[in-house]
Amino acid sequence: MAVWLDAWFDPVASIHTVGSCIRLVDVTGDGDPKLLVADQNRKLRLYKGVNLVSEHALLDTPSAISAFFEDAKSQGPRVPSLAVACGQFIFVYKRLRPHYKFTLPMQQVDPTEAEVWDGLRSGTVPLAEGCDKLSNLRDGGTHVTYATVDLLALDGEEKQQALVEELKGKPLVHSTTITCIESINRREDAPGASSCLVVGTEARQVLILDPQGFSIVAKALLPSVPAFITVTGLLEVEYRVLCACRDGRIYTIKNGQPLGTSIELETPPCAMCLAGKTLVVGTMDSTLQGFQLKGKRGWAHTLPSPLQALANLDDRENGTLFLASLANGEVRLYKDKQLISTLQMPGGDMAVAMRFGKYAREEGTLLLVLKSGALGVKILSRKSNLASAAEKAGPPPEQDVPLNVPKKTKLYVEQTQREREHGCDMHRIFQKDLCKLRLHTARAYVKVLTDGQGPVSYSHNSSLRLNAQVMGLGPFFKLVLSLQNTGSKPVTGCTVLVVSDQEWYIVSEPILQIGTLVPGPDYSFDVPLQAIQDGGQGQG
């Protein structure tokens, strides 16, 4: 049974936006959420059902939009306000009418950068030298002003000098730009509860703004520029702000203070959403990863195509469901890392922005903005049971088919299993056999020494060491005997007898009378030999 039903498709909607600039908001207070799209063509569009109701011009290119509720002051339906982030400004709309403009506070200019600009304007610092100093500041990690960025981006000294002349007499200001925006409830987690804005800037700051006068409630400084943010909890109870930054890390701000630990990703993030209590992050290496809110990774899944956008199904009973749009035109529905269903976009197009929620009369509606500018609406089938589909998802049935393992591999696996099961017994037997081998070796060595067959001869009152070496190639040889008294007392009256096979060798002096052997020095004696037969080996 199909999970998604086709509701409407407009191929000529000409919408060019990103995922952070599309929302489902009840801006009129009649209980019917509308589709709000901040177009990259500086237009704010309002859709009701399949009709474009209104279109409003924006003063700059939008980077993100978010809805928030102010504190209740009067009776009646609660109408949310809309915050549109454009550059360094936040334009607040109430009932789609301009209500307030908030400007981010200026940053402090680096003293070295200000000194270089003063020299460039007065002419005391040459243009080439000033550009080198500004470039070194930028490369060293200093957050420079937009004037410096524009100057270093120009090619040619004439254009750079023209920019310096244009900026003469103007103060050097350090403004910043909004990168992402979200809202967080104050006291209660309920629809229509009062909320505050959470803003991420190019100055590596995360600001929490009070909608009453837009004062800064909390401020946190991050090591890198936040690209995506998501919030959980209540501002006046306990909350977390999860920031995916451009340095490939996810930082957590808990109750206004950045935590010392962070989540390190292998590649920079390209999308992020919160599905229940699981933080789903998509990276540029076509990988989906699920993290707990405390930073522990629960799972990872490799996608067949690069990821384009993520969206959660926050109004479902099971909050672990989320949608992933791929570059091959697929929109996949996941529960954790289990694939539930796949939706293919028409004409091989891909969805660059998605939003799921209540729209018109349907509780579960998926709105898709394609790369070609088309707008599509899909309805989640009321008969679809996503819980049972998630339980059936898992490894393919081919995984249960046994593999044809080679005999050598099977033998190795069996031996490994046997060693794992009987490791203690095998070690005990090995040690026992090793002790027996050492004992037999020691007994054989003692027997050799006591029989006089070793290099050292022992008696009850003396010990002698005799070494023999044959020199010569034949038929005349010389047997060199080396005799040493290894005892502690002199030895007298020793006789050396040379015994050989008389059919093969002739020994002229088979008996040697040895005088006194003093302990320590070596005594050498030469015994001439003669071989009387060629070939073979005799016994000596």
Side-chain angles (χ1 to χ4, degrees), residues 230 232 240 242 252 259 263 274 276-279 291-296:
T230 183
T232 179
R240 290 174 184 261
L242 304 169
T252 302
L259 299 182
I263 302 174
L274 189 63
K277 295 184 178 180
T278 302
L279 180 65
F291 296 92
Q292 297 179 4
L293 295 181
K294 292 185 178 181
K296 183 179 179 181

Side-chain angles (χ1 to χ4, degrees), residues 220-485:
L221 182 64
L222 299 177
S224 181
V225 178
F228 307 95
I229 61 173
T230 183
V231 297
T232 179
L234 300 176
L235 182 63
E236 298 183 1
V237 181
E238 183 180 3
Y239 68 94
R240 290 174 184 261
V241 180
L242 304 169
C243 307
C245 298
R246 295 176 184 171
D247 61 351
R249 292 176 179 268
I250 300 177
Y251 299 94
T252 302
I253 302 173
K254 184 178 180 180
N255 299 332
Q257 298 296 327
L259 299 182
T261 58
S262 62
I263 302 174
E264 183 176 0
L265 304 175
E266 296 181 358
T267 54
C270 60
M272 183 174 69
C273 73
L274 189 63
K277 295 184 178 180
T278 302
L279 180 65
V280 183
V281 182
T283 55
M284 291 186 178
D285 58 351
S286 304
T287 302
L288 278 177
Q289 301 181 54
F291 296 92
Q292 297 179 4
L293 295 181
K294 292 185 178 181
K296 183 179 179 181
R297 190 173 79 167
W299 50 268
H301 177 65
T302 302
L303 299 173
S305 184
L307 182 68
Q308 298 298 315
L310 287 176
N312 61 342
L313 276 68
D314 52 0
D315 61 345
R316 300 293 295 181
E317 294 181 358
N318 195 345
T320 59
L321 297 171
F322 65 94
L323 293 159
S325 173
L326 308 184
N328 59 2
E330 293 181 353
V331 175
R332 296 187 166 195
L333 177 61
Y334 284 95
K335 180 181 180 182
D336 292 332
K337 64 177 180 178
Q338 297 178 358
L339 179 61
I340 305 300
S341 67
T342 302
L343 179 65
Q344 184 66 43
M345 294 294 99
D349 205 350
M350 61 182 177
V352 296
M354 299 183 298
R355 188 64 61 177
F356 181 88
K358 181 181 179 182
Y359 186 66
R361 294 178 297 176
E362 293 294 331
E363 293 291 336
T365 306
L366 175 62
L367 294 106
L368 304 164
V369 177
L370 307 186
K371 185 179 180 181
S372 61
L375 176 62
V377 179
K378 304 289 182 179
I379 297 177
L380 183 63
S381 177
R382 298 175 182 176
K383 297 182 180 180
S384 61
N385 190 356
L386 300 182
S388 62
E391 294 175 358
K392 295 180 181 178
E398 291 80 6
Q399 183 173 332
D400 298 332
V401 179
L403 299 176
N404 188 13
V405 182
K407 293 183 178 180
K408 291 185 178 180
T409 304
K410 186 177 181 180
L411 178 62
Y412 171 76
V413 173
E414 292 176 353
Q415 290 179 350
T416 304
Q417 183 69 21
R418 182 172 61 87
E419 292 177 359
R420 187 183 298 112
E421 295 176 355
H422 307 285
C424 295
D425 297 338
M426 295 175 66
H427 179 72
R428 191 180 301 110
I429 294 174
F430 171 76
Q431 293 295 332
K432 183 178 179 181
D433 293 344
L434 181 61
C435 292
K436 287 183 178 179
L437 178 62
R438 290 175 176 173
L439 178 62
H440 292 329
T441 303
R443 286 178 177 175
Y445 183 67
V446 171
K447 186 174 184 300
V448 168
L449 294 179
T450 54
D451 293 346
Q453 300 177 3
V456 180
S457 177
Y458 296 94
S459 64
H460 66 281
N461 57 0
S462 64
S463 59
L464 300 176
R465 181 189 298 274
L466 178 64
N467 293 325
Q469 184 178 6
V470 180
M471 302 182 64
L473 300 176
F476 296 95
F477 301 93
K478 183 168 66 174
L479 183 64
V480 180
L481 302 178
S482 178
L483 190 62
Q484 182 185 13
N485 183 7

Side-chain angles (χ1 to χ4, degrees), residues 110-154:
D110 186 74
T112 305
E113 182 184 4
E115 182 181 353
V116 173
W117 271 103
D118 291 340
L120 289 175
R121 290 168 177 173
S122 62
T124 58
V125 177
L127 181 61
E129 181 181 351
C131 290
D132 291 339
K133 291 182 179 180
L134 294 176
S135 179
N136 293 334
L137 280 176
R138 181 192 61 182
D139 297 340
T142 303
H143 190 58
V144 296
T145 61
Y146 286 114
T148 300
V149 175
D150 295 339
L151 180 64
L152 297 179
L154 294 176

Side-chain angles (χ1 to χ4, degrees), residues 482-495:
S482 178
L483 190 62
Q484 182 185 13
N485 183 7
T486 59
S488 59
K489 298 179 180 180
V491 178
T492 59
C494 290
T495 302

